[in-house]
Amino acid sequence: MTDKKSELKRAYKENPPLAGIFTVTNKINGKIFIGKGLNVQGRLNSLEFQLKTGTSLNKDLQNDWKKYGAENFIFEIVDYLEQNNKGNNINDDLNELEAVWLSKINPYDEKGYNFKNS
């Protein structure tokens, strides 16, 4: 059992989860939420779980989820960070990538579920 555990740890270190950007799109009204994660698939799964259990902190998204149903939302990973960040802070790179997507899509107010930072 220890060999299996060591093998899993090694495999994880050799293939860490990918950081990136995801979207959640409402098929009924076209509103979009843009999010990010160091483990983007894990973050996306977490948000979907929160919506299913009614615990998402994004109340607008949660309300529309309840109103329109899970079948009317599309969850997608739209961009990944390159893994060869030579000395760069991956959080800074992820924040920059998110800013690019937020600027491109502008998912605020009637167009989306994101909130502008003051």
Side-chain angles (χ1 to χ4, degrees), residues 8-93:
L8 288 172
K9 281 183 183 179
R10 183 182 51 75
Y12 180 83
K13 286 180 181 178
E14 289 175 2
N15 299 299
L18 296 173
I21 304 299
F22 68 87
T23 60
V24 178
T25 304
N26 182 324
K27 295 191 292 187
I28 302 295
N29 62 20
K31 289 175 79 170
I32 296 174
F33 175 76
I34 294 177
K36 66 181 177 202
L38 291 172
N39 173 349
V40 69
Q41 185 63 59
R43 178 67 184 98
L44 188 59
N45 293 345
S46 175
L47 178 57
E48 185 174 9
F49 178 79
Q50 290 169 11
L51 289 166
K52 286 178 180 177
T53 58
T55 59
S56 174
L57 296 178
N58 187 316
K59 296 304 173 198
D60 292 337
L61 180 56
Q62 186 70 65
N63 289 338
D64 278 358
W65 178 272
K66 186 176 178 182
K67 180 177 180 180
Y68 298 117
E71 66 279 2
N72 288 304
F73 288 83
I74 301 168
F75 291 76
E76 295 178 282
I77 296 173
V78 295
D79 209 346
Y80 289 104
L81 271 181
E82 294 294 324
Q83 289 299 312
N84 53 359
N85 294 340
K86 296 182 176 93
N88 294 346
N89 181 332
I90 194 166
N91 285 312
D92 292 343
D93 291 346

